[in-house]
Amino acid sequence: SLFSSASVLDFIGSQLTVARNKRSSAGELRAEKLQQQQQQQQQQPYSADLPDLNPSYTLISTSLLAQLLDVKQAPSGVEKLVEPLRNNYYALRHGQSESNLEGVISSNPEVGTVRHGLTTEGRLQARRAATQLLDIVGRDKIEGLVFVSSDFTRARQTAEEALNAVKAIIDYEMQVCMADPVRPDAECELLQSPTSAVVLTPLLR
């Protein structure tokens, strides 16, 4: 079939317009990407002293957050402690949880505080940790032992299981000690179970 010269020119013109639009769109995308990169480079360093505008947050170390955001970490404005700490602190990771078996990351407080508790194996792990904790802390200091836990179900149940196991071990050892006529009463009196319940706080999420 034959085409008029006007039709051919119109067709060529429309194709040129499409090509120009594509180049313009590609140029705009490149410019937008360049602008985003420049904004990231100019981003202010993260500081732990900035006001918290969103109370529903997950607390992690500022150094780790700086690495994740790929920004420089600003120096903290909190003064260093002059006197040494009067307490000893020990970290206990939660036992195997249901989310571990499901292969999911349970970090949403609305879910993690009501679901994804410990499995049977996780509860056993928490109880086994109590024996090591007793050796590390010392049986003469167990009375003042306090478990501070996240309010996530897996963490709370780990703290509860470990605390109950510590109490059970101390109670058993005290019964054995009191039944032994050779051991002095003063030695048995050193075996005192923790008096505090598990303290829950969202700051350890």
Side-chain angles (χ1 to χ4, degrees):
S1 57
L2 299 177
F3 297 91
S4 66
S5 58
S7 299
V8 172
L9 292 175
D10 290 339
F11 175 78
I12 293 175
S14 63
Q15 293 300 308
L16 290 174
T17 301
V18 171
R20 282 195 299 269
N21 290 338
K22 288 183 178 179
R23 286 197 299 269
S24 176
S25 299
E28 291 175 357
L29 289 175
R30 285 194 297 270
E32 183 178 353
K33 186 175 182 180
L34 180 61
Q35 184 180 7
Q36 291 176 351
Q37 292 176 348
Q38 292 175 345
Q39 289 176 350
Q40 291 176 355
Q41 293 175 354
Q42 297 173 357
Q43 184 177 4
Q44 294 295 324
Y46 175 81
S47 173
D49 302 319
L50 294 176
D52 181 19
L53 301 179
N54 182 11
S56 300
Y57 60 91
T58 298
L59 185 67
I60 63 174
S61 68
T62 55
S63 59
L64 175 58
L65 184 59
Q67 293 177 11
L68 294 175
L69 297 177
D70 193 23
V71 297
K72 294 181 180 179
Q73 183 180 2
S76 175
V78 180
E79 297 182 3
K80 294 184 178 181
L81 296 175
V82 179
E83 298 181 358
L85 297 176
R86 299 179 180 179
N87 301 311
N88 294 324
Y89 298 88
Y90 306 93
L92 177 62
R93 179 172 171 76
H94 66 78
Q96 184 188 69
S97 67
E98 296 170 351
S99 60
N100 293 142
L101 293 184
E102 295 174 8
V104 299
I105 299 177
S106 181
S107 59
N108 184 352
E110 295 182 0
V111 178
T113 55
V114 294
R115 292 180 52 199
H116 297 150
L118 296 183
T119 63
T120 301
E121 177 61 25
R123 291 181 180 276
L124 290 175
Q125 291 172 344
R127 295 172 192 172
R128 295 191 196 106
T131 58
Q132 297 179 354
L133 189 62
L134 279 169
D135 294 335
I136 295 173
V137 175
R139 282 163 171 74
D140 58 329
K141 300 177 181 177
I142 289 298
E143 184 179 4
L145 182 66
V146 178
F147 281 82
V148 182
S149 168
S150 158
D151 56 354
F152 269 48
T153 307
R154 61 195 178 211
R156 173 178 55 79
Q157 291 179 349
T158 298
E160 291 171 347
E161 290 288 351
L163 175 58
N164 291 334
V166 166
K167 290 181 177 180
I169 293 172
I170 292 297
D171 291 344
Y172 174 76
E173 291 182 351
M174 181 176 289
Q175 293 176 14
V176 173
C177 184
M178 297 296 292
D180 188 350
V182 180
R183 302 178 70 175
D185 293 342
E187 181 180 348
C188 299
E189 291 174 358
L190 293 176
L191 297 172
Q192 298 292 331
S193 293
T195 57
S196 175
V198 175
V199 179
L200 299 179
T201 172
L203 295 178
L204 293 178
R205 288 176 179 172

